[in-house]
Amino acid sequence: MPKNERWGRPYPDTRDWSIYNERLVRRGEFYLSLDFIDQWDELLARMNAGKRGRPFQYPEPFIGWMACVHVFLQMPYRQMEGFVRKLATFIPALRAADYTTLFRRIQRLDLSLNVTPKILAEDVVIAVDSTGIKVTNRGEWMREKWKVRRGWIKVHAMIDVETNQVLGLEVTDESVQDDRMFVPLLDQVQQHCGEEHPVHRVLADGAYDRNELFTALEHRGFLAGIKTRADAATHSTGSAYRAECVRERIRWGGYRMWSWITTYGMRWKAEGAFSSIKRIFGEGVQATSREGMFREVRMKINCYNMLIAMVA
């Protein structure tokens, strides 16, 4: 059987591998990013100013760092107490916290998506997709034997294809369809990009081929890179912009040329980001409650964005 010929825009790998390798090595520095220690007392004074009741003993950056240790190393809270207690013997300015305090403070962290706009390009191209996260480590045999099914978590994200940053994030259960999260994600992307880094195009597969999504892109002035059905109507059946995109695909000579012009192949950057996140943080979650699972996923995505910004 003859080998299928690869088609589409070839990906030019122009990386300087010495620089790329150094960036990967620098990611290890993230585990010991302890700059907050020099500002410990100043941060606490700011947090406790005007506070009623028991004052804070640990600044917010320290709690955020411990949250990263929790998701990066998959370390339970009691082991985290021992970890920071031993670390404090080498760094006298660091004050150890008990596991109860760590748990309570981490649960109260602001988990808004952490984005670094300054590393974005002038015209941002977005790739949107979703992926599943396991909620249990039991294997296929256990599921087949005992007929146990707990479902999975669904992560909906919009990725900047230039920097691989996550610019929009929604975490749901598996019952939520991809297209329902498109507009909320788009709102987040606009908020994070602002006017200095306008969105140029949004790339998405056929799951997002909906009239209302094309209309949403048209109202915002974004070009659509959404794959439409092969038999899609060329006249307006709910979205004039979708019909225009279908006519353009036909006028350009079909799907291959359309994908070349719209750079649709760069949509793989979303799948690449999901792959990186799962390789670094694992394919499952440790939390057992629904809310805890969602929070853990958000912490992982925030830590991933911090890694991206650190080596950019």
Side-chain angles (χ1 to χ4, degrees):
M1 182 176 179
K3 183 179 179 181
N4 292 331
E5 179 184 357
R6 187 183 185 278
W7 61 273
R9 185 186 295 270
Y11 178 70
D13 190 353
T14 58
R15 285 176 291 186
D16 185 324
W17 279 90
S18 61
I19 297 176
Y20 179 68
N21 288 334
E22 179 60 26
R23 287 179 176 177
L24 296 181
V25 171
R26 283 179 54 199
R27 288 187 178 185
E29 300 175 6
F30 181 81
Y31 295 95
L32 292 176
S33 299
L34 304 177
D35 299 336
F36 57 84
I37 294 179
D38 297 333
Q39 303 176 349
W40 189 286
D41 294 332
E42 179 184 347
L43 291 170
L44 279 181
R46 196 180 308 158
M47 292 174 62
N48 290 321
K51 184 181 183 300
R52 300 181 61 182
R54 184 178 179 180
F56 291 110
Q57 297 181 356
Y58 307 99
E60 199 74 0
F62 166 72
I63 300 300
W65 177 71
M66 292 304 299
C68 291
V69 170
H70 176 61
V71 297
F72 267 111
L73 305 181
Q74 299 185 9
M75 189 180 295
Y77 287 98
R78 286 178 173 84
Q79 292 183 24
M80 288 168 61
E81 178 182 347
F83 171 80
V84 72
R85 185 192 301 170
K86 188 65 175 180
L87 189 61
T89 62
F90 300 101
I91 308 175
L94 181 64
R95 303 172 194 173
D98 62 275
Y99 70 89
T100 303
T101 300
L102 292 174
F103 175 80
R104 290 175 178 173
R105 289 287 301 277
I106 288 176
Q107 295 304 307
R108 298 170 186 168
L109 277 176
D110 179 14
L111 295 181
S112 301
L113 193 58
N114 186 10
V115 174
T116 307
K118 64 181 182 181
I119 67 174
L120 296 174
E122 293 184 0
D123 291 326
V124 180
V125 178
I126 300 297
V128 57
D129 207 346
S130 66
T131 189
I133 300 292
K134 297 179 181 178
V135 300
T136 177
N137 287 327
R138 64 167 55 94
E140 295 295 332
W141 184 86
M142 288 290 290
R143 281 192 286 269
E144 179 66 24
K145 174 68 175 178
W146 303 110
K147 308 301 180 185
V148 176
R149 182 185 181 279
R150 292 189 60 189
W152 65 89
I153 295 174
K154 204 168 186 180
V155 179
H156 310 260
M158 284 190 173
I159 314 293
D160 173 30
V161 302
E162 183 69 26
T163 64
N164 296 329
Q165 267 197 114
V166 180
L167 301 182
L169 174 67
E170 292 289 344
V171 186
T172 67
D173 58 36
E174 75 275 16
S175 64
V176 178
Q177 296 180 358
D178 293 354
D179 58 292
R180 288 179 52 190
M181 293 293 104
F182 186 87
V183 173
L185 290 173
L186 210 57
D187 293 337
Q188 294 181 37
V189 169
Q190 277 193 286
Q191 180 181 358
H192 291 137
C193 292
E195 297 181 357
E196 298 180 356
H197 306 278
V199 177
H200 175 64
R201 190 185 299 273
V202 178
L203 309 174
D205 60 22
Y208 299 90
D209 182 16
R210 301 289 186 274
N211 288 329
E212 57 271 20
L213 306 189
F214 278 90
T215 302
L217 291 177
E218 183 183 21
H219 287 168
R220 290 167 170 79
F222 304 158
L223 296 178
I226 301 177
K227 183 180 180 181
T228 54
R229 297 192 305 273
D231 59 347
T234 57
H235 57 278
S236 178
T237 58
S239 172
Y241 182 49
R242 178 178 180 271
E244 179 184 344
C245 292
V246 174
R247 290 194 298 269
E248 283 186 345
R249 186 194 68 193
I250 297 174
R251 187 167 59 251
W252 290 338
Y255 174 70
R256 287 194 179 190
M257 186 56 66
W258 172 85
S259 65
W260 181 283
I261 295 175
T262 61
T263 65
Y264 177 74
M266 295 303 292
R267 193 187 62 82
W268 71 269
K269 283 297 192 78
E271 299 174 0
F274 290 144
S275 177
S276 297
I277 292 169
K278 290 181 180 180
R279 287 200 310 270
I280 297 172
F281 302 102
E283 298 185 1
V285 290
Q286 293 178 300
T288 55
S289 68
R290 174 189 172 96
E291 183 61 29
M293 293 175 186
F294 287 5
R295 289 184 61 83
E296 183 176 336
V297 171
R298 287 188 170 276
M299 282 193 291
K300 290 180 177 181
I301 301 296
N302 270 335
C303 289
Y304 172 76
N305 272 359
M306 292 169 68
L307 275 181
I308 294 296
M310 180 178 182
V311 300

